[in-house]
Structures are given as C-alpha cells and as structure tokens.
Amino acid sequence: MKVVVTPSFIKSDNGQIFSINYHSPELTNNIGIIHFPAFAEEMNKSRHMAALQARKFAADGYSVTIVDLFGTGDSEGDFSNASWCIWLDNLTQIVEIMKANGVEKLIFWGTRLGSMLAMDLLNSYRKDVSLILLWQPVLKGDVALTQFLRLKIAAEMMSGEKSSTNGLKNKLNQNELIEVAGYQLNSDIANAMQNQHLFDKISANTPPIRILEIVSDVNKSISIASRKFIEKLHEKKIDILIDKVVGEQFWTTPEISLVDELLDKSSIIVNQFSKMR
Amino acid sequence: MLDEVKEILSTTLQLGDRVNDMDLDSALLGELPEFDSMAVVAVITAFEDNFDIVVEDDEISAETFETLGSLVAFAESKVS
C-alpha cells in the first residue's frame, strides 16, 4: 500500500512547527493517529521507530501525524523557551488540522513522557479519542526528571565536579536554566515533569489504554512498577492493559535499534480497535 | 550478582557477548568507549529497576564505575 509522506511547517503563535503526515491515498478510514513524542534525547533516539510505525499505521489506512514540538527537532524555537502549555498548544493545533482534513475519530499514541502530554490533551478531546496507545510510558514525572538530571550529575562526575539533584532542582526553581546533555532545561518543563503522575490522569471516563513495554528477554516480565500501576487501575475497573515486547530500549540505546515486535503489536492493537466500531 | 551486572551492561550498553570476556578487573569508566555519562545513567536506572533499589546522588562516583568489580560490589552493597 503506497504511503504518502507529507512534511509541513505550520504557523503557530510561537513560530513554525514542523510535522509529518503519513497516509495512504488508496485506503483511508476516518481515523487519525497523533504521536506524542518522547522528551529531549529520547525523542531523537526514538524518531526512527516512530517513523516506521507511522508508515505501518498509514499503510493500514490511518492518517498519522508526527510533530516536532516547539524547540525540538526541526520546529522553530529554543528548547530553553519551551513550556508544557506551548507543547499542548502545538498538539492541539495538529489535532484541529487533522479534524479539518476529515478525521472523525482519534487515536492518541504516546512514547515515554509523551504519554503525559497525551493524557493532558485528552481533556479537550475525550469524546473523539477511541484509544490511547502508550509505548513504555513514564509513570512518574518526578522519576523521569531525576533520571534526566542524573545525566548532568554523571557528566560532572566524569570531570570531577559535583552537583546534586536537589541542588539542580533548587536552581530551576529560581528560574535558572540548567544545561543537561546539551539541553537547556527551564523551570516550567521541570515543574511540569516533577508534578505529574500518569495514574492521576486516568479516570472512569478515560478511553481504553493499551501499553506496550520493552523487555530484554522473552522470559522477563514487565516491571514491578508497571504491574502495580495496572493492578491499582484494575481495582478501579479502568480499561487498561499492558503487554510486553522483546527488544532494546531504543529511546536510550547508544546505537539506533529497531523493535519489530513493537511495530507489529502496535498495529494489531490499533486495528483491533478500529474494527470495533 | 556478577552475571546480573554483566547482563545489565550487555543490554544497556549493547555490548552483547563482549561481556563474556569480562572479569572483575575489567576497566569500565575511561576504558570502554561506550561508558559515557549516558551509559552511567542507563546503568543506574537499570540497577534501580532490576534490583528495586534507589541510588542517591552521592553514590554516583567515578570509583563505583571504575571496574566491573567495583560496580558489582556497589550493587551487592545496595541489595543486602
């Protein structure tokens, strides 16, 4: 199935936002899939997998859009000036464009921290979203922030200096920018991460959620944290399931890695939901 | 513990079978080109996930990552 790939720059209040749309002109349903990207270097490392998946979805008839959020990728803006609100605005604009182009139902597809953005955007589009697909979602933003700040601590360890996570967080709270692995982190983004738990964003009104988690070996189980997360939500009768795929954590590996099983299972999940209409 | 730590290095740093030739004296930081600051964070995160421990900032030191032996010793001290 031929897939048409259309890059475009969209004029936003904060500058030009770059996005790529994938769709197949021969077989088009009215379902749009929006990708919510991972954070900082994880986004860069997961681009290839995201593009492969987008093509695969498009070949099955969906209109898929991958966006570079303000200050990232090919979009305008400095990462140091980014904010959670601006990123949600970017994504809102994408959704509106897709709807204007004929999309009637939406699937939100989040990678890592993008999962938090997806759940926040849900507040505006709950009735339109039929499925939330999350790739190894960040469950606790504060943990993700600590791990990100650790890159600075680890880098300083190699050069003999010494910061602490709390010291860095204090600087952020005083509106200082912190440079981490080449990214200028500001207090808005740091606070957004610090205060978000995925669990709190899920309620009885949330559309079905399907999570895919990477494990390194077929005999390994999903993480303890994920298991507890799902169990607590099942106690509240939430429609959420998790499945594992074997592969490398491509958003963090030194070399680009591909996880074919993730591509396959994601497509199966999405196609199952489309049939249920 | 040695095998578990080797497995973590193998997957997080994509070393594959190279870990089989490594022993406690094998140098990591400053020796393995893969061992940069991102690798340090990846290994710490994997330790936390796998061993259900929390690594504090002041435990992240060059000495810990000097050799496979020092890394294993660190893991053992956290798990016990």
Side-chain angles (χ1 to χ4, degrees):
Chain A
M1 192 83 57
K2 180 164 168 274
V3 169
V4 171
V5 181
T6 312
S8 46
F9 279 99
I10 299 157
K11 196 154 165 289
S12 83
D13 289 341
N14 310 103
Q16 305 271 15
I17 300 299
F18 181 72
S19 71
I20 304 183
N21 179 269
Y22 302 74
H23 75 274
S24 164
E26 289 151 36
L27 176 71
T28 307
N29 55 43
N30 60 2
I31 305 173
I33 304 181
I34 296 110
H35 183 238
F36 294 76
F39 179 69
E41 199 55 20
E42 290 193 359
M43 189 272 261
N44 280 327
K45 290 183 187 244
S46 57
R47 285 180 98 115
H48 193 44
M49 276 296 292
L52 287 175
Q53 185 72 72
R55 274 186 188 272
K56 206 162 152 61
F57 285 153
D60 286 340
Y62 304 89
S63 175
V64 190
T65 303
I66 295 185
V67 62
D68 286 349
L69 300 174
F70 175 87
T72 75
D74 291 315
S75 288
E76 275 190 338
D78 227 53
F79 190 79
S80 59
N81 293 325
S83 74
W84 201 257
C85 277
I86 290 176
W87 286 352
L88 287 174
D89 283 346
N90 297 154
L91 292 156
T92 302
Q93 213 175 345
I94 295 292
V95 171
E96 291 303 318
I97 290 171
M98 291 184 90
K99 289 177 93 178
N101 286 336
V103 156
E104 285 167 20
K105 274 283 166 200
L106 298 167
I107 293 176
F108 279 7
W109 161 38
T111 299
R112 299 286 295 144
L113 190 70
S115 309
M116 297 281 195
L117 286 164
M119 298 310 294
D120 280 352
L121 202 71
L122 199 57
N123 293 327
S124 310
Y125 295 104
R126 197 171 301 268
K127 291 202 180 65
D128 305 302
V129 176
S130 57
L131 167 69
I132 301 164
L133 173 67
L134 302 177
W135 283 1
Q136 198 97 6
V138 166
L139 301 182
K140 294 185 178 177
D142 52 344
V143 172
L145 178 63
T146 298
Q147 288 171 354
F148 186 65
L149 291 176
R150 257 188 201 148
L151 287 168
K152 186 167 183 67
I153 292 171
E156 287 182 343
M157 171 195 89
M158 325 256 286
S159 66
E161 302 157 53
K162 211 61 207 300
S163 291
S164 71
T165 323
N166 285 334
L168 293 175
K169 288 183 183 179
N170 283 338
K171 283 189 181 174
L172 286 162
N173 283 333
Q174 285 156 39
N175 283 322
E176 273 184 55
L177 293 174
I178 302 286
E179 187 269 319
V180 179
Y183 291 89
Q184 297 282 351
L185 180 67
N186 65 37
S187 61
D188 183 291
I189 301 291
N191 284 332
M193 289 171 78
Q194 178 73 17
N195 296 316
Q196 302 207 51
H197 282 196
L198 201 63
F199 185 85
D200 300 331
K201 298 177 190 283
I202 299 170
S203 70
N205 295 327
T206 306
I209 302 175
R210 296 295 178 263
I211 297 179
L212 290 170
E213 179 167 307
I214 310 264
V215 297
S216 57
D217 185 82
V218 67
N219 295 317
K220 293 218 159 200
S221 340
I222 59 169
S223 74
I224 299 170
S226 299
R227 208 169 331 122
K228 286 185 184 165
F229 177 77
I230 299 288
E231 276 166 11
K232 283 204 302 189
L233 288 168
H234 281 174
E235 279 166 24
K236 295 166 68 170
K237 306 273 193 277
I238 302 291
D239 185 355
I240 181 167
L241 295 174
I242 186 167
D243 194 6
K244 62 183 187 184
V245 297
V246 179
E248 291 176 322
Q249 297 195 337
F250 54 88
W251 57 89
T252 190
T253 47
E255 304 290 329
I256 306 259
S257 35
L258 302 182
V259 185
D260 286 319
E261 201 186 351
L262 183 61
L263 300 175
D264 292 338
K265 281 198 171 177
S266 297
S267 288
I268 288 171
I269 289 169
V270 156
N271 290 338
Q272 271 171 355
F273 267 84
S274 308
K275 285 198 183 75
M276 281 156 68
R277 213 161 318 284
Chain B
M1 184 57 79
L2 174 61
D3 286 337
E4 284 162 299
V5 173
K6 276 190 179 182
E7 214 232 300
I8 287 174
L9 289 180
S10 173
T11 41
T12 53
L13 306 184
Q14 295 174 303
L15 297 177
D17 289 334
R18 279 160 61 194
V19 289
N20 295 339
D21 298 329
M22 292 170 75
D23 59 28
L24 293 174
D25 292 325
S26 301
L28 300 175
L29 198 58
E31 188 69 24
L32 276 190
E34 292 89 346
F35 229 93
D36 57 9
S37 55
M38 288 196 124
V40 168
V41 173
V43 169
I44 294 172
T45 307
F47 274 19
E48 286 184 324
D49 290 345
N50 273 272
F51 303 130
D52 196 21
I53 58 174
V54 173
V55 176
E56 307 292 344
D57 294 339
D58 53 12
E59 291 176 310
I60 304 174
S61 73
E63 289 76 42
T64 308
F65 297 93
E66 209 177 308
T67 64
L68 182 53
S70 59
L71 197 54
V72 168
F74 173 69
E76 279 171 344
S77 73
K78 292 292 287 185
V79 168
S80 52

